[in-house]
């Protein structure tokens, strides 16, 4: 194995420009799932993925998953791309998942370069929307197969593929498809590998074994039948914004403490063993400061900071729909305002319990206001937390592969965000899921100037190659 | 006087269609001052006004008042139109003010008809943006002059005119011009008449003798250098939205009570005499319910409702700039959020004191949060409250004119909103200002489906004619 890996590494370095060009073609397709006018580009991106894999000999298919409602119209969902590369019963089979849609991006948001033109700077940073989330890893898999073909080395495992185009807009239709295909298309999968997370920092690779869940809520307060002039009606009617702000101020304290009764009672206790895991992780307060661009940490030490990022719940107020949000000074009493907030959940919180507790609290607070406005409470979506065991053989494969490529043992980390598909795969296929990141912690997945370092891209391709070879050598 | 007034009324009824056509031409020019792309239309509207008055023999001029900053570019301000009709030293001189710009409007906002096509329904309601605010009254003055010319009746007073095209966007440049021309162009004015307010209800005419002022504030809370993902950073950093909502929740109670210490101490006490004025005003709780489209009144009776609309301050939360305001469920920690709110002021509140008290309170609350985010406090603009005396001879003129046209004594009312130009005229010219409305309380000045009733339009023209004749007959 050692020799063929070295050859693979060599050919990957040699084909660097070709691989970057392929990524740059992918980035040039603005497959923004949240923008209904760009939906055809998401479909174009699906076709690009199908075409690239097909050229290398994979059997690809596009699954039509129907329509959904968006901005009041019926919009066709982009297809989910399924694929199979190799079908040798003597080999292990790994199911890989990536998404080919991206977050919105425009120069006006403050990008330094055109977000849909991959731009490499003199530090080898490749800027572009989707570079790291999640086109880089997806192109990485294509490139890993190509490297094998180039050298005539047999691909050591069978690949099953599941690529979606709606990840950044709620993964509509994906869960149904996975559940339907669990014992059909995906039946032979021995394990699942997802490359859609990031290193914790910028220097040390990681394997991700846990994710927080999320429960996203909105609260609607509705009063007058249309927006009112505050000069004319201010002081005489109950204003929805006043009620909403009063409610929102009772959810979380500025120090992050969740104020909704009962929420914290569901959190698994921190055992001394678990607590000690955090001691070894390569993370400093300087890393946090750099990542957020300001000295605004709640906790003074890395340990508590990481615990509150990974294993404690948090509540964020995202914004208010329907209130005045422009610049300038509009003297409006908004008629209907919708406050948005979400709770990141952790073991052993149950989404249903969280929803019930939040609803009870919000209703109670609103009733105490004695307002004549109307309240509506809505759980927009929920996704469960997920936690795997770093002791599983699959994680050992990931660890060995990372050590081989980077020469260092990766940190085992969790993430504060949610990837609901992880839970879906694990529950439906009943196989282990490994989150194997390609990019760094400062890649800015959903921000302006998203990037992927060329070094991470190439080492990431090497990592995928090494991972499949390590996987092949595990005794069944 | 009686005979010539009757003849004027007759000719106004006769020329009804011509007058409506003129209004409809004015409405067809989308002179939206807040929309930079429509700025040429505001200038076109200025030209239209100049042309119509010039045809009738008035001397008109356009005053260039330079540029202002809008959406990051230097945009030329529309001219202020000054005019003079008659210059007979033996006559009284009245300065009239109107504005020829309008609020934004589009079918998508929910208009039933094209907002820039004056559409008359079978109840005689003329729908169109600016119909009542403030093109109807402006066309009313042109029509009043025309009626006199048609009959060969001498116009009984000299008119000075000041018409602006930036009223709906902060009246930029107007105050400076008024102060500069107070003892020049406007020197001969004996009084000022502004028709830019409305009846309280839909049946009884009013004269407006008081306005609330306004102090508009924003609070900026800034944390990270860019928006963050709530999954990744939630729970580890101080979130600007949490801080801002905490501050905003301490400003006003859901029952309208202002919570900022010291604000209420400045409010003039309600004397029994003043209190009794409110007993006679034609206003019911049903009027309020109809106007706001919901049963959300804070007070159960018309008296306290009107007092809180006119003679008590109020604080409204308008919205938040920089937070997530779209539909959908974005899991963002906004990096910088700007809360907007304003206080309507009344005698004897001073804008400077209000600003100081608000700033002290906001700063104190923010400090108590122990947040590491940064706070900035800003007074975006202030305009003073204004109050005149219903006992002034000018109000008596307005009262007699209204009685002559409508056959009923008008209610003397105040308004909850602000018209800063009123204070500017009064302070600069040191002359009495009369607010003489044309439209009804349900005209929907800044809403969708703005309208002016044909009956109010025609009676308004008659009112202007009668007003100038009554004015001429007042002994100096
Ligand atoms: Zn992703
Ligand atoms: Zn993403
Ligand atoms: Zn107006
Ligand atoms: Zn207006």
């Amino acid at each position: 194995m050692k020799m063929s890996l070295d050859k693979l590494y060599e050919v990957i370095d040699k084909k660097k420009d070709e691989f970057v060009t392929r990524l740059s073609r992918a980035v040039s397709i603005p497959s923004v799932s949240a923008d209904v006018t760009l939906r055809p580009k998401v479909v174009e991106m699906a076709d690009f993925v199908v075409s690239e894999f097909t050229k290398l000999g994979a059997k690809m298919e596009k699954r039509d998953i129907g329509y959904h409602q968006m901005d009041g119209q019926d919009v066709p969902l982009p297809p989910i791309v399924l694929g199979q590369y190799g079908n040798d019963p003597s080999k292990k089979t790994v199911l890989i998942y990536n998404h080919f849609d991206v977050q919105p991006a425009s120069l006006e948001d403050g990008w330094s370069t055109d977000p849909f033109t991959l731009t490499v700077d003199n530090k080898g940073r490749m800027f572009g929307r989707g570079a790291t989330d999640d086109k880089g890893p997806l192109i990485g898999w294509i490139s890993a197969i190509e490297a094998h073909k180039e050298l005539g080395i047999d691909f050591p495992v069978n690949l099953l593929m599941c690529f979606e185009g709606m990840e950044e807009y709620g993964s509509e239709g994906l869960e149904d498809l996975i559940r339907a295909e669990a014992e059909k298309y995906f039946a032979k999968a021995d394990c699942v590998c997802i490359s859609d997370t990031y290193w914790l920092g910028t220097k040390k690779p990681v394997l991700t074994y846990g994710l927080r869940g999320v429960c996203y809520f909105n609260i609607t307060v509705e009063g007058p039948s249309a927006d009112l002039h505050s000069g004319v009606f201010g002081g005489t009617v109950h204003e929805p914004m006043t009620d909403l702000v009063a409610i929102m101020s009772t959810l979380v304290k500025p120090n992050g403490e969740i104020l909704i009764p009962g929420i914290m009672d569901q959190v698994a206790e921190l055992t001394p063993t678990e607590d000690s895991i955090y001691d070894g992780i390569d993370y400093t307060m300087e890393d946090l400061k750099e990542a957020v661009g300001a000295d605004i940490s709640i906790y003074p030490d890395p340990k508590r900071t990481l615990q509150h990022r990974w294993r404690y719940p948090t509540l964020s107020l995202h914004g208010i729909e329907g209130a005045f949000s422009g610049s300038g000074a509009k003297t409006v009493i908004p008629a209907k305002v919708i406050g948005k907030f979400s709770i990141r959940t952790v073991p052993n919180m149950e989404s249903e319990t969280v929803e019930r507790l939040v609803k009870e609290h919000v209703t109670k607070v609103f009733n105490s206001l004695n307002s004549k406005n109307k309240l509506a409470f809505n759980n927009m979506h929920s996704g469960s937390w997920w936690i795997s065991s770093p002791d599983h053989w699959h994680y050992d494969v990931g660890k060995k592969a990372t050590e081989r490529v980077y020469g260092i043992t990766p940190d085992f980390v969790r993430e504060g965000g949610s990837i609901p598909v992880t839970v879906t795969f694990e529950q439906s296929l009943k196989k282990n899921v490994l989150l194997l990141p390609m990019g760094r912690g400062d890649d800015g997945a959903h921000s302006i100037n998203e990037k992927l370092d060329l070094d991470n891209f190439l080492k990431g391709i090497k990592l995928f190659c090494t991972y499949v070879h390590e996987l092949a050598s595990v005794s069944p």
Side-chain angles (χ1 to χ4, degrees), chain A:
Chain A
M1 184 165 86
K2 191 176 179 314
M3 234 176 54
S4 55
L5 280 176
D6 285 336
K7 279 191 202 144
L8 280 164
Y9 296 175
E10 241 170 67
V11 83
I12 288 165
D13 287 329
K14 201 188 77 187
K15 290 176 79 72
K16 178 183 82 174
D17 290 347
E18 276 174 66
F19 294 163
V20 170
T21 300
R22 183 183 280 129
L23 177 58
S24 134
R25 283 171 60 207
V27 166
S28 76
I29 302 170
S31 51
V32 178
S33 46
D35 183 342
V36 68
T37 67
L38 290 174
R39 189 57 59 83
K41 294 293 172 186
V42 184
V43 176
E44 186 183 327
M45 188 61 203
D47 290 331
F48 175 80
V49 171
V50 166
S51 151
E52 292 294 299
F53 276 103
T54 304
K55 275 187 224 162
L56 294 168
K59 288 205 306 202
M60 308 302 288
E61 54 183 279
K62 294 192 291 178
R63 287 291 178 88
D64 182 0
I65 51 165
Y67 288 73
H68 73 142
Q69 273 279 323
M70 201 173 173
D71 304 346
Q73 41 181 314
D74 274 324
V75 181
L77 286 159
I80 290 173
V81 173
L82 297 183
Q84 195 178 353
Y85 184 68
N87 188 21
D88 181 341
S90 72
K91 292 179 183 171
K92 280 217 172 50
T93 300
V94 56
L95 169 60
I96 59 172
Y97 161 91
N98 293 87
H99 63 90
F100 52 84
D101 62 321
V102 296
Q103 283 279 320
S106 78
L107 271 177
E108 288 147 38
D109 297 340
W111 281 72
S112 304
T113 56
D114 173 33
F116 298 106
T117 304
L118 191 76
T119 309
V120 191
D121 76 358
N122 57 12
K123 288 179 183 162
R125 294 181 299 186
M126 306 186 290
F127 293 94
R129 177 54 90 216
T132 195
D133 180 22
D134 187 33
K135 289 178 174 177
L138 179 52
I139 301 302
W141 279 111
I142 300 171
S143 308
I145 296 176
E146 200 185 48
H148 280 80
K149 283 197 89 95
E150 176 97 4
L151 286 171
I153 296 178
D154 185 45
F155 206 75
V157 301
N158 304 312
L159 283 185
L160 283 172
M161 304 172 224
C162 177
F163 304 134
E164 68 159 325
M166 284 297 288
E167 200 274 342
E168 304 292 8
Y169 202 74
S171 291
E172 195 114 10
L174 181 68
E175 185 173 335
D176 287 348
L177 180 131
I178 294 172
R179 295 200 189 282
E181 297 296 341
E183 296 179 16
K184 293 195 267 179
Y185 200 96
F186 303 141
K188 290 188 186 153
D190 295 302
C191 54
V192 182
C193 179
I194 299 179
S195 188
D196 193 22
T197 56
Y198 310 92
W199 294 358
L200 182 55
T202 58
K203 296 193 188 76
K204 197 171 177 190
V206 306
L207 298 180
T208 314
Y209 71 96
L211 298 166
R212 289 196 288 194
V214 66
C215 294
Y216 202 110
F217 301 103
N218 70 31
I219 308 171
T220 304
V221 183
E222 198 172 355
S225 60
D227 285 358
L228 302 176
H229 189 292
S230 67
V232 180
F233 295 103
T236 69
V237 296
H238 290 280
E239 302 188 14
M241 263 298 275
T242 307
D243 296 349
L244 180 63
V245 167
I247 298 170
M248 288 175 86
S249 72
T250 68
L251 301 175
V252 60
K253 275 167 81 167
N255 68 0
E257 196 183 311
I258 297 176
L259 294 168
I260 301 164
I263 292 290
M264 295 308 291
D265 302 345
Q266 306 170 70
V267 179
E269 231 175 304
L270 179 71
T271 62
T273 319
E274 191 197 342
D275 190 52
S276 69
I277 295 177
Y278 288 85
D279 289 323
I281 293 170
D282 184 31
Y283 190 72
T284 67
M285 294 315 288
E286 200 50 42
D287 290 334
L288 176 63
K289 193 174 160 184
E290 212 166 277
V292 304
D295 185 12
I296 53 171
S297 63
I298 293 179
Y299 305 96
D301 56 291
K303 187 166 172 173
R304 264 187 295 172
T305 297
L306 288 180
Q307 287 176 350
H308 280 272
R309 176 167 170 168
W310 295 342
R311 63 102 55 228
Y312 285 115
T314 183
L315 190 155
S316 293
L317 307 175
H318 305 299
I320 298 173
E321 181 184 345
F324 174 52
S325 61
S327 61
K330 193 171 171 185
T331 53
V332 67
I333 298 176
K336 179 180 172 182
V337 287
I338 307 173
K340 312 270 177 87
F341 65 99
S342 65
I343 296 178
R344 297 284 162 177
T345 58
V346 297
N348 300 313
M349 296 166 75
E350 308 249 358
S351 298
E352 295 69 29
T353 313
V354 172
E355 178 179 348
R356 180 176 55 76
L357 291 168
V358 175
K359 186 174 181 175
E360 279 172 12
H361 172 75
V362 165
T363 309
K364 192 175 158 197
V365 172
F366 179 73
N367 288 341
S368 77
L369 303 180
N370 287 315
S371 168
K372 290 186 180 173
N373 293 319
K374 286 194 195 101
L375 174 82
F377 173 84
N378 180 31
N379 184 355
M380 295 180 80
H381 65 79
S382 287
S384 174
W385 48 265
W386 166 83
I387 191 150
S388 182
S389 163
D391 301 330
H392 193 276
W393 60 261
H394 194 193
Y395 276 76
D396 202 48
V397 165
K399 176 171 165 253
K400 280 185 185 148
T402 308
E403 285 168 344
R404 177 74 169 83
V405 173
Y406 283 96
I408 188 172
T409 302
D411 276 338
F412 284 80
V413 306
R414 289 158 72 164
E415 281 217 354
S418 327
I419 309 179
V421 73
T422 311
V423 181
T424 310
F425 276 125
E426 191 178 78
Q427 290 179 347
S428 314
L429 276 60
K430 298 182 177 54
K431 301 291 172 183
N432 183 271
V433 184
L434 167 70
L435 302 189
L436 183 66
M438 173 182 269
R440 298 182 190 174
D442 67 346
D443 281 357
H446 287 199
S447 308
I448 57 168
N449 301 323
E450 176 181 348
K451 59 93 180 164
L452 174 65
D453 293 86
L454 179 59
D455 192 58
N456 280 57
F457 184 49
L458 297 177
K459 287 220 177 74
I461 300 168
K462 293 172 190 171
L463 180 63
F464 292 168
C465 289
T466 315
Y467 162 75
V468 291
H469 282 270
E470 289 289 351
L471 200 59
S473 69
V474 171
S475 43

